[in-house]
Every structure is written in structure tokens, then in C-alpha cells.
């Protein structure tokens, strides 16, 4: 089985409930195609580098999973048809970095550092 990191960007007007539904929808697609989800992360609403379909921001959802190539085909086929999504990207990796949280708030990082001292 290959290791993949998959990120989708939903429209900025997508509600938290719809974000949860999108996460569940694509998680189930991965599992139906014999994939195994290692971790899902909701990175929240972030600024885009440039306008995409008149959106300045997007809600990012990140998946780390194990699977075969057919999982990617099925995921991207469904995402291409989904009107709520702006972009998606899949990257094959050699190993997962499950420790680092790139999108945590500065306050959270400082609290962790202070608690370790």
C-alpha cells in the first residue's frame, strides 16, 4: 500500500456542518476503495494566494491515508464534480509526519513550549 496526503479546498461560504459532511463523504470513499485513513485535519479558513472562482479564502481539509492507486482515481473523479470544492491535491509520500501541526495558532505553540519547561 502507498502512503498519500490529500488536501481539498472548499469554498469560503461553506458552513462548518458542510465541512464535516465533506470530510465524512471523502473519508467513506477512501474506505470503500480499500483505503485506510491515518489522520484527518481541518486546517480552517485560510487566505488563497490568488482568486479562485471569485473566492479570496478557502476552507482546507487534509487527509493522510494508505491505499492503492484506484483510491486516488475515485476520489478525484468525485471531487471534480463537487461544486463546493475549489481545488484538490494528492501527493504520494514515503512516510507520514504525524507530530507536526503546521496550522496551529501561535498561542497553542507557546503553551506547549511553556508546559515542557
Amino acid at each position: 500500500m502507498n502512503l498519500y496526503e490529500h488536501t481539498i479546498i472548499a469554498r469560503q461560504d461553506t458552513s462548518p456542518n458542510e465541512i464535516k459532511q465533506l470530510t465524512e463523504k471523502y473519508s467513506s470513499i477512501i474506505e470503500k476503495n480499500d483505503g485506510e485513513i491515518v489522520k484527518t485535519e481541518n486546517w480552517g479558513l485560510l487566505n488563497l494566494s490568488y482568486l479562485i472562482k471569485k473566492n479570496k479564502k478557502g476552507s482546507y481539509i487534509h487527509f493522510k491515508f494508505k491505499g492503492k492507486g484506484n483510491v486516488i482515481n475515485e476520489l478525484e473523479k468525485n471531487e471534480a464534480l463537487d461544486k463546493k470544492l475549489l481545488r484538490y491535491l494528492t501527493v504520494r509520500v514515503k512516510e507520514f509526519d504525524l507530530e507536526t501541526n503546521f496550522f496551529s495558532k501561535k498561542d497553542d505553540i507557546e503553551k506547549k513550549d511553556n508546559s515542557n519547561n
Side-chain angles (χ1 to χ4, degrees), residues 1 6 20 39 52 89 103 105 110 112:
M1 285 225 206
H6 184 74
K20 186 178 177 186
K39 188 175 183 181
I52 303 174
L89 175 71
F103 293 95
K105 305 264 188 288
E110 290 172 2
K112 284 183 184 177

Side-chain angles (χ1 to χ4, degrees), residues 14-31:
T14 307
S15 71
N17 189 30
E18 290 174 317
I19 295 291
K20 186 178 177 186
Q21 289 174 346
L22 285 171
T23 305
E24 291 170 1
K25 174 183 175 182
Y26 292 111
S27 296
S28 69
I29 290 172
I30 292 169
E31 290 167 354

